[in-house]
Amino acid sequence: EVECRYMNGVGAVSGGAVLVVFQDVTHLEHASQMRRDFVANVSHELRTPLTALMGFIETLRGPARDDVSARERFLQIMMDEANRMNRLVGDLLSLNRVESEERIRPREQLELTALLQSTLNNLRPLAEASSVVLTLNAPDGPVSLTGDSDQLRQVFTNLIENAIKYGGSGGSVEVRVLSSDRDTAMRGPAVRVQIIDKGPGIDATHLPRLTERFYRADSHRSRELGGTGLGLAIVKHIINRHRGRLRVESELGKGAVFTVILPR
Ligand code: ADP
């Protein structure tokens, strides 16, 4: 449905004829609204840890000045808040970079199974800290692909990290690779990478908005786990750049399956 609320009429007279140009500016209005929302969101996300930092500085200057044990505790909280701001700025920069590169098709030749294996190895300490078992199921031979290895590594890192974080401690996360010469979604050779967790899952009402910047299905849990709300937005843009697709299937109480489909 296209809504045309704002119309600019420009009339010009030339040699007796009248030229009228109508420009639909609805999409411009929409883009500028989105930009305003984004700035408001970023400001809010930065201000929350900043307010906490300012509060603790005041406390350390005043009431907790001579309390050594309180000072240590507060400094740790301040470090955590500073880290949160640092992660947010890092994710904002990543998002900015992938958005600006979206039209440029990546050309690097890479082998997907090795890339996934090393991504999983990097995430093992995080998984072990939550007693989560990580497994990789991939075809025996190499799975070759054209892409941007750093960006694809970021996609899989974000998705596997989410599966570990939200999947709950003591669970399992499986990464499955399926390669096909004729993928139904891509209508040609493609590879599917599925990240499967057995956690609490995501309610169907949240699924369509999950890749929006700062959208969180469970806001409290995301913040508690140090999430920025930008991970899936970054994932979406990188997959778009690779002309691929992201599919999310989930049911409350039954875990979640995130499928990345990439053309080969
Ligand atoms: P965040 O930094 O909050 O994790 P993301 O963009 O990575 O942001 O994810 C958006 C939201 O999607 C999360 O806040 C969380 O509510 C939900 N989510 C993502 N992955 C999972 C998962 N595997 N299981 C349950 N919920 C998930």
Side-chain angles (χ1 to χ4, degrees):
E1 192 186 341
V2 181
E3 190 195 356
C4 297
R5 283 184 297 120
Y6 300 90
M7 300 282 262
N8 273 348
V10 180
V13 182
S14 90
V18 178
L19 171 70
V20 180
V21 181
F22 283 106
Q23 187 192 5
D24 174 12
V25 294
T26 312
H27 66 288
L28 295 178
E29 183 62 24
H30 181 65
S32 92
Q33 179 63 44
M34 279 183 50
R35 200 162 41 241
R36 282 197 297 273
D37 289 350
F38 182 62
V39 171
N41 274 326
V42 171
S43 311
H44 174 76
E45 298 286 337
L46 282 171
R47 186 165 269 172
T48 309
L50 253 183
T51 307
L53 280 174
M54 286 158 75
F56 282 112
I57 290 170
E58 281 306 311
T59 314
L60 285 172
R61 271 179 160 172
R65 182 178 230 133
D66 303 314
D67 184 339
V68 178
S69 81
R71 202 166 63 200
E72 272 317 302
R73 216 170 53 246
F74 293 163
L75 283 171
Q76 185 56 50
I77 301 173
M78 290 168 76
M79 195 63 204
D80 293 344
E81 294 296 335
N83 276 328
R84 176 188 290 278
M85 290 175 75
N86 198 28
R87 267 198 310 277
L88 179 63
V89 172
D91 277 359
L92 283 170
L93 290 172
S94 290
L95 188 60
N96 205 34
R97 198 178 53 241
V98 297
E99 275 184 334
S100 63
E101 287 174 347
E102 209 168 81
R103 285 167 202 278
I104 314 161
R105 198 157 187 174
R107 296 242 153 265
E108 191 186 334
Q109 290 298 321
L110 54 96
E111 204 281 296
L112 189 63
T113 311
L115 188 138
L116 285 169
Q117 193 73 64
S118 84
T119 306
L120 280 169
N121 285 342
N122 291 341
L123 290 170
R124 273 193 208 286
L126 180 73
E128 273 160 24
S130 319
S131 311
V132 170
V133 179
L134 286 180
T135 50
L136 173 66
N137 268 318
D140 283 338
V143 181
S144 313
L145 206 67
T146 309
D148 179 320
S149 58
D150 288 340
Q151 289 194 350
L152 289 177
R153 185 184 292 275
Q154 170 135 46
V155 164
F156 299 122
T157 300
N158 289 3
L159 293 175
I160 299 165
E161 230 173 49
N162 277 352
I164 297 171
K165 277 190 328 192
Y166 298 107
S169 67
S172 64
V173 173
E174 182 191 344
V175 179
R176 201 180 284 172
V177 185
L178 308 152
S179 186
S180 154
D181 287 335
R182 192 151 178 79
D183 189 279
T184 45
M186 303 307 293
R187 299 209 179 110
V191 59
R192 290 180 179 226
V193 181
Q194 297 191 305
I195 292 95
I196 306 162
D197 73 68
K198 301 275 178 265
I202 306 155
D203 190 89
T205 54
H206 295 297
L207 293 183
R209 300 192 58 192
L210 224 52
T211 58
E212 283 176 23
R213 302 147 164 182
F214 298 116
Y215 190 85
R216 292 159 164 120
D218 184 340
S219 191
H220 176 72
R221 186 131 179 79
S222 161
R223 282 169 212 282
E224 196 181 68
L225 296 167
T228 62
L230 294 175
L232 290 180
I234 294 171
V235 164
K236 180 186 79 176
H237 284 286
I238 296 177
I239 294 175
N240 281 349
R241 193 183 167 212
H242 286 77
R243 311 288 187 270
R245 300 242 178 107
L246 175 70
R247 195 170 280 175
V248 190
E249 292 150 278
S250 185
E251 212 179 305
L252 269 187
K254 298 206 173 152
V257 181
F258 284 75
T259 306
V260 180
I261 313 173
L262 296 167
R264 271 201 288 120

